[in-house]
Amino acid sequence: MSNSSGRSYGRRRVLVTGGAGFLGSHLIDRLLKRGDEVLCVDNLFTGDKSNIDHLAGNPRFEFMRHDVCFPLFVEVDEIWNLACPASPIHYQHDPVQTTKTSVHGAINMLGLAKRLKVPIFQASTSEIYGDPSIHPQPEEYWGNVNTIGPRSCYDEGKRCAETLFFDYHRQHGLDIKVARIFNTYGPRMHASDGRVVSNFIVQALRGEDITIYGDGSQTRSFCYCEDLIEGFIRFMEAGPDVHGPINLGNPVEFTIRQLAETVLAKIGGRSKLVEEPLPQDDPLQRRPDITKAKQQLDWKPSIELDEGLDRTIAYFRTIVAEKPARIGERHLAGVNA
């Protein structure tokens, strides 16, 4: 058997950076299910070992605490680069480190992929489109990004990472896969990362008022994590001529107010919707054009928001019951991401 770069192997040994995070841990579950050996690398800044505790004792799973800003010398057959804080609260906590993680991390992982001659996947983001002037956003759109704003550490870091990936592809013939991820939700989200789905669910479960930033008319599209991981797998298994960037997300659009009302209706209680000022550079619209994903990957989301929210609420009910004090430790502020 060989991978798309021609490297021969029996069972694949796969590296996942950011593997203890929300999406990374779900990806690892899927990779183990298909029979791979997985090396999970995470510095645990936003990742949580509880996301991978269920893998303890699995002989095909290994965890390494490491920061991708520093070189990594391992032998693997495939690299998935998911390492980077992904919510505004977390990536704005140390913006310089956020940029370093995106840029230095990309350089180090691309260098490793070049040495090993293996395919590499980059978890990019819809944030590279900024506050878009084109709706929905196709991959050809270059974006509308503030280069010096409070979100730019993440936006521009990811944009630079994309540049590096495509330059390594052009200059060194590297097999790259660049996925632009739109809003994704599901179990194992960080309860206090301020993202809109987790924020609303936790506030409603704790009987607090639900905070809407702006008037709630801004829109987002919400993709359930299981659907997104399926898109990841199909992308990585696509032929060596499919490099992206490819949008992965749910094209069904909701206003923030609609989401809040839906969550409140499902959970019940006496929480009220409370409006606060819209943060700087918060996008007013965000919805992917997934034409390329449909055509090149034969992929589209299958889990509707109603079902996905039920699964996510069930997860957070357990978290709130187990750790009622810790849920509110970090201030939930400033985003409807």
Side-chain angles (χ1 to χ4, degrees), residues 11-26:
R11 174 181 287 165
R12 275 179 288 200
R13 178 167 166 79
V14 179
L15 167 62
V16 179
T17 70
F22 162 46
L23 291 179
S25 62
H26 284 290

Side-chain angles (χ1 to χ4, degrees), residues 110 114 120 161-178 239-244:
L110 286 163
K114 177 189 171 187
I120 180 169
E162 286 198 9
T163 300
L164 287 162
F165 266 73
F166 278 89
D167 282 341
Y168 265 77
H169 167 64
R170 286 185 286 259
Q171 188 170 340
H172 302 295
L174 206 60
D175 183 3
I176 64 167
K177 310 287 183 180
V178 177
D241 295 329
V242 181
H243 304 296

Side-chain angles (χ1 to χ4, degrees), residues 193 235 274:
D193 66 6
F235 194 1
V274 177

Side-chain angles (χ1 to χ4, degrees), residues 143-209:
N144 177 35
V145 177
N146 179 356
T147 64
I148 60 171
R151 301 170 71 103
S152 58
C153 59
Y154 185 68
D155 301 359
E156 295 293 1
K158 288 289 191 178
R159 286 162 70 94
C160 185
E162 286 198 9
T163 300
L164 287 162
F165 266 73
F166 278 89
D167 282 341
Y168 265 77
H169 167 64
R170 286 185 286 259
Q171 188 170 340
H172 302 295
L174 206 60
D175 183 3
I176 64 167
K177 310 287 183 180
V178 177
R180 291 176 178 168
I181 302 167
F182 283 68
N183 290 63
T184 305
Y185 69 101
R188 302 182 196 161
M189 293 183 78
H190 198 296
S192 56
D193 66 6
R195 288 196 242 191
V196 64
V197 174
S198 54
N199 206 1
F200 288 173
I201 291 173
V202 170
Q203 287 178 327
L205 287 173
R206 299 181 72 230
E208 299 173 349
D209 290 340

Side-chain angles (χ1 to χ4, degrees), residues 92-250:
Q92 291 172 6
H93 174 72
D94 189 344
V96 172
Q97 186 62 29
T98 295
T99 302
K100 285 182 177 180
T101 301
S102 289
V103 178
H104 292 185
I107 291 170
N108 288 328
M109 291 305 106
L110 286 163
L112 179 62
K114 177 189 171 187
R115 178 176 71 83
L116 297 174
K117 297 181 173 60
V118 300
I120 180 169
F121 177 97
Q122 167 68 0
S124 191
T125 173
S126 62
E127 295 292 337
I128 66 102
Y129 297 121
D131 188 5
S133 57
I134 294 177
H135 193 72
Q137 293 80 58
E139 291 85 351
E140 293 76 15
Y141 177 52
W142 289 358
N144 177 35
V145 177
N146 179 356
T147 64
I148 60 171
R151 301 170 71 103
S152 58
C153 59
Y154 185 68
D155 301 359
E156 295 293 1
K158 288 289 191 178
R159 286 162 70 94
C160 185
E162 286 198 9
T163 300
L164 287 162
F165 266 73
F166 278 89
D167 282 341
Y168 265 77
H169 167 64
R170 286 185 286 259
Q171 188 170 340
H172 302 295
L174 206 60
D175 183 3
I176 64 167
K177 310 287 183 180
V178 177
R180 291 176 178 168
I181 302 167
F182 283 68
N183 290 63
T184 305
Y185 69 101
R188 302 182 196 161
M189 293 183 78
H190 198 296
S192 56
D193 66 6
R195 288 196 242 191
V196 64
V197 174
S198 54
N199 206 1
F200 288 173
I201 291 173
V202 170
Q203 287 178 327
L205 287 173
R206 299 181 72 230
E208 299 173 349
D209 290 340
I210 294 179
T211 307
I212 294 178
Y213 295 93
D215 62 6
S217 63
Q218 64 270 43
T219 65
R220 297 293 185 271
S221 305
F222 303 102
C223 185
Y224 189 66
C225 55
E226 183 179 308
D227 279 332
L228 188 76
I229 298 304
E230 175 66 24
F232 282 10
I233 297 294
R234 292 193 185 200
F235 194 1
M236 195 60 138
E237 292 182 347
D241 295 329
V242 181
H243 304 296
I246 292 181
N247 290 336
L248 293 178
N250 195 320

Side-chain angles (χ1 to χ4, degrees), residues 212-219 255-258 261 273-278 284 336:
I212 294 178
Y213 295 93
D215 62 6
S217 63
Q218 64 270 43
T219 65
T255 68
I256 295 299
R257 184 172 292 275
Q258 284 177 311
E261 291 171 347
L273 305 186
V274 177
E275 295 181 7
E276 294 195 9
L278 193 66
L284 297 180
N336 279 157

